[in-house]
Amino acid sequence: MTPLPSSAPCWDLFCAVVDNFGDIGVCWRLARQLAVEHGIAVRLWVDDLAAARRLAPEIDPTRDVQHLDGVEIRRWTAPLPEIEPGAVVIGAFACALPDAFVEAMARRAPRPVWINLEYLSAEDWVSGCHGLPSPHPRLPLRQHFFFPGFDGASGGLLREADYAARRAGFEAERFWSTLDLALPTSDELRVSLFAYESPALGELLEGWQRGPAPVTCLVPEGRVLPGVAAHFGLRDLRPGDRLQRGALTIQVLPFVAQQHYDALLWACDLNFVRGEDSFVRAQWAERPFVWQIYVQQDDAHLEKLDAFLARFCVGLDGGTAQALGSFWRAWNRGRGVAAAWPAFRDALPALAHHAQTWSATIRGAGDLAGNLVQFCKDAIE
């Protein structure tokens, strides 16, 4: 990838934390990749450094300015300190930039490339909107919509250049030993559960508990953990706790820092993920997964879920596709998971093979960070 002109002082990336870790997860991953792989000086503005610290424990939420992994991390305050905008300004997920900063962008010469980094969606309309400009109503500025996506008509998905090498060097036996777990038995299912609260949780755990084969469920500390504790009649669960009920073993993990999350996905037979960042990582992991999409008004999220299923199920036989769709919809609607689980469990071997094919398919869209750098380079030149 050709680097941007050296005269560019930096890129500014603004992140308003809305969904706990989804927004900052994408922004932190993007900022690190731009710095490490493309040599770009990135200023990451974050309005909730405590949330950022969960993903990168080295972050100090009490400091207004700090540096980590080549990224300058700044607290997004109101008002924002007076500062010259960088050559590229990215507002993640339609967050509103401070008015004074936007006015400073208009005064800068040359004016910055302004990017609105949108949410990931598999809907057909994305390809027609990706890259489109939108002029500011009163200032001599325009922003471009940049959509992550699953094909070449989009911006692609975040994937680090060293991902394949790290994946190839992963040692499952060593990973399980760090959790004081033996290697899984031939009939055992190892599952990671990273999820929002769900009314279907108890039904799912009960089914695993009474099932015919052992299930070991790894639950990172997070929003779903109180529901797991309540199901077993406990006030709380903490990292390191282990429970066994019938065929089900629950292992509680500390919240997994972003740089270590991939290993959990690689190790498990099935991964429950949520939001956007973990959703993308599950696809690169080439393992069967279940996506819990962020809830929107009027069930708009279910349309997005169906749009992804329509793409993802291409190449699957009818029975496997039906089992996948039925279980995903039951999990997202909060009911019917017990009835949908047996067929989905039987489909896991076919889905494991399909996950490898899908990963190769979406690699064809390119890496989002690299695509973004090229888009901005073309705009600057």
Side-chain angles (χ1 to χ4, degrees):
M1 181 65 63
T2 304
L4 288 164
S6 58
S7 59
C10 73
W11 287 23
D12 286 293
L13 172 55
F14 285 83
C15 176
V17 178
V18 177
D19 171 31
N20 287 78
F21 309 111
D23 307 272
I24 185 58
V26 172
C27 291
W28 176 236
R29 195 180 297 279
L30 173 61
R32 289 182 65 251
Q33 195 172 346
L34 290 172
V36 172
E37 297 182 15
H38 300 278
I40 295 171
V42 181
R43 278 192 304 239
L44 174 61
W45 301 86
V46 185
D47 66 351
D48 185 353
L49 290 174
R53 187 182 189 182
R54 300 298 298 276
L55 300 177
E58 301 88 346
I59 291 177
D60 183 348
T62 67
R63 297 177 60 186
D64 290 338
V65 182
Q66 54 198 297
H67 294 81
L68 181 63
D69 294 344
V71 178
E72 179 179 324
I73 304 168
R74 287 188 170 240
R75 186 189 308 278
W76 182 352
T77 58
L80 205 68
E82 291 187 13
I83 194 166
E84 181 183 5
V88 174
V89 175
I90 304 170
F93 312 123
C95 66
L97 304 188
D99 291 340
F101 189 86
V102 175
E103 291 169 359
M105 289 166 58
R107 294 191 299 267
R108 188 186 187 279
R111 296 186 183 95
V113 178
W114 186 5
I115 299 293
N116 180 3
L117 179 63
E118 284 284 357
Y119 288 100
L120 173 63
S121 177
E123 294 168 293
D124 291 338
W125 59 264
V126 166
S127 61
C129 296
H130 175 63
L132 289 182
S134 175
H136 193 277
R138 62 179 181 84
L139 296 173
L141 293 169
R142 63 177 182 175
Q143 62 176 329
H144 287 86
F145 296 98
F146 202 89
F147 282 85
F150 304 95
D151 57 36
S154 71
L157 302 172
L158 288 171
R159 179 185 168 103
E160 298 81 5
D162 67 347
Y163 182 87
R166 291 191 295 112
R167 178 73 172 85
F170 173 68
E171 298 178 0
E173 184 173 0
R174 183 177 179 181
F175 177 85
W176 293 125
S177 68
T178 63
L179 300 180
D180 193 28
L181 286 170
L183 289 174
T185 61
S186 59
D187 62 340
E188 180 183 355
L189 188 69
R190 295 258 165 112
V191 180
S192 75
L193 180 62
F194 181 56
Y196 302 116
E197 302 87 348
S198 171
L201 177 63
E203 187 180 349
L204 180 67
L205 297 177
E206 185 71 20
W208 287 346
Q209 182 177 336
R210 297 179 179 277
V215 175
T216 299
C217 181
L218 308 177
V219 188
E221 189 178 17
R223 287 172 58 171
V224 77
L225 193 56
V228 176
H231 173 74
F232 291 106
L234 302 174
R235 293 184 61 183
D236 61 14
L237 285 169
R238 299 183 179 182
D241 288 346
R242 183 180 298 177
L243 302 174
Q244 186 164 6
R245 301 289 190 275
L248 173 63
T249 299
I250 296 287
Q251 175 79 36
V252 183
L253 307 182
F255 189 89
V256 183
Q258 191 178 70
Q259 62 180 335
H260 302 308
Y261 184 57
D262 287 327
L264 178 62
L265 299 176
W266 297 334
C268 290
D269 304 303
L270 173 64
N271 296 298
F272 284 71
V273 294
R274 63 178 227 200
E276 182 166 325
D277 186 57
S278 59
F279 172 48
V280 172
R281 304 315 285 190
Q283 293 172 68
W284 293 135
E286 301 182 3
R287 291 282 193 264
F289 65 98
V290 179
W291 180 30
Q292 186 180 18
I293 190 170
Y294 189 74
V295 175
Q296 295 178 306
Q297 290 184 346
D298 301 321
D299 287 341
H301 60 292
L302 297 180
E303 295 180 11
K304 297 179 184 295
L305 183 76
D306 286 341
F308 177 76
L309 284 170
R311 287 180 182 256
F312 185 70
C313 289
V314 172
L316 287 174
D317 67 80
T320 301
Q322 182 176 357
L324 172 72
S326 295
F327 187 80
W328 278 35
R329 293 184 182 100
W331 179 241
N332 278 277
R333 288 171 175 156
R335 60 185 184 276
V337 295
W341 171 253
F344 181 67
R345 175 66 178 87
D346 290 344
L348 290 181
L351 290 172
H353 176 75
H354 181 69
Q356 298 177 22
T357 303
W358 175 253
S359 177
T361 298
I362 58 178
R363 280 200 297 272
D367 160 56
L368 185 143
N371 290 340
L372 182 58
V373 168
Q374 188 61 54
F375 182 90
C376 294
K377 177 179 181 294
D378 292 343
I380 289 172
E381 294 182 347

